[in-house]
Amino acid sequence: MKRATILIADDESEIADLIAIHLEKEGYRTVKVADGAAAIRAVQTQDIDLAILDVMMPKLDGHEVTRQIREKHVMPIIFLSARTSDLDKITGLVIGADDYMTKPFNPMELVARVNAQLRRSLSLSQPTQSSNPVVEAGGLVVDPDKRSVLLFGRDIELTPKEFDILYLLASHPNKVFSAENIFRQVWGESYYGGGNTVMVHIRTLRKKLGETHHPIIKTVWGVGYKFNG
């Protein structure tokens, strides 16, 4: 079986080496680069399965690298940053990162998050005997096989996690999902205070869907969220 290849982009060589040691012990192949431009080249020339990006890098920062990756790829992206504010985390998630860890970090926790992201990515890429149903409601068409979203015929570009949240809610239109439930099902891992992460993704999802007086995703106060198509 092919070993997954992890891109590690960090200009602090000690951190990159530490991450590589732990990932390689887990059986992964690693590619290390020291700046954002080199990260883009690695993604373009090698078969990268997941990217770990430092936010503050020379030439191109992690945010710009993520924007360029997201134009053509759906690989999981994990941000590493010394910035700890909620605003910084929200910015990273809105741009398209799947996870965000602050420095200093526990290398074993990072490995666990890599494992979880790759399990999720692999499950989405596996063919199934019967396709999941396309959801159509109120001008919205969500196709899980094509990973596409149309709203009144207009293509809506979503990150992988935004798509997963929308499809989860849209395919259960009468069910209210708590933030914890959404996190467990979409991220595929134990809930570790991911309520803010879910809230940020819901917020950006609503913005992309252009919701006004009739929200497609409705907040049920004190409980969670439901599809309101």
Side-chain angles (χ1 to χ4, degrees), residues 197-210:
T197 299
V198 172
M199 180 184 67
V200 169
H201 281 76
I202 293 287
R203 183 187 305 161
T204 56
L205 189 51
R206 285 171 168 164
K207 183 176 181 181
K208 290 181 179 181
L209 293 172

Side-chain angles (χ1 to χ4, degrees), residues 73-87:
H73 304 278
V74 293
M75 71 181 67
I77 295 174
I78 299 176
F79 272 171
L80 294 179
S81 177
R83 297 177 175 178
T84 61
S85 73
D86 287 341
L87 179 59

